Amino acid sequence: MVDIAGNIAKVHERMEMAEERAGREAGSVKLMLAAKYQPIENLLAALKAGERLLGHNMIQQLKTAEEGLTAAQADGRAAAAGVADIAHTTTVIGHVQSNKLSQAMRYAQRIDTVDSLKTAQQIARRQQARIEAGEARPGEAFPILLQVNSSGAPTQFGCEPNQLIEMAAEIARTLPLVSIRGLMTIGANEPDDSAAVIRSFEITRQLGTQLRALPGLAHATELSMGMTHDLELAIEHGSTEIRIGTAIFGPRPQK
Ligand SMILES: *Cc1c(COP(=O)(O)O)cnc(C)c1O
């Protein structure tokens, strides 16, 4: 059995130590749980421990988990697990194919992996349809983060750093039904090369500064970066939100 509550407490300790080292306020960085492959019992354990931010990579798992939590609330399993209220916020942190966008927007409150104008346009069109169907308020914009490929690895999704600001400006200027809240990055996947990891985070942080200088984007302050092995570096280099899976749920079950 994985001690999810205990692991969550340990992650918060790591976060607080990094916040202190970086001269940042204790508790100012948000913790998002990377929920891939987790059964409902584990998500309930995390909610019981007080966490309220879930991130999903795969849209099918997003749907299953959201429906599962709603069902657990309805049939009393949530209450039995010590969760009086399952209220939480869910975010998409994996690449979304265009044919999955409508499900993504139904079950999640933000999409953090937008890396092209085309995807933003599709989200805007879909949001217009949601408004017409009464699923969103008139004029309500759908929140997104722009994903940056800050490591340069060809296998990573994300917009090229040197194209990001132009893309962001175009989205902000032409798509009022999409609301850019900040940036997301995976960063260099090089646990033994902290200089490369730091470089990724600094590229992202600097793009965040440029982003906020664009018209209408002064509030796009979110920087989602940092995972189990590099959360300290991420917090020391400006992260506002880390995404943690392994340190909380243990090694991922294989499919
Ligand atoms: C799985 C995942 C994480 C969490 O990674 P861990 O190393 O398990 O903490 C964070 N971000 C994304 C996009 C992920 O897919």
Side-chain angles (χ1 to χ4, degrees), residues 34 36 57 93 184 186 227-228 243-246 252:
K36 50 181 171 290
N57 287 71
I93 58 173
M184 179 274 212
I186 309 257
M227 311 187 354
T228 289
R243 310 177 305 269
I244 304 299
T246 309
R252 282 185 267 290

Side-chain angles (χ1 to χ4, degrees), residues 130-150:
R130 296 179 76 231
I131 290 168
E132 283 162 18
E135 295 163 17
R137 282 175 278 111
E140 182 183 345
F142 193 87
I144 63 169
L145 299 188
L146 301 176
Q147 184 176 356
V148 189
N149 181 349
S150 61

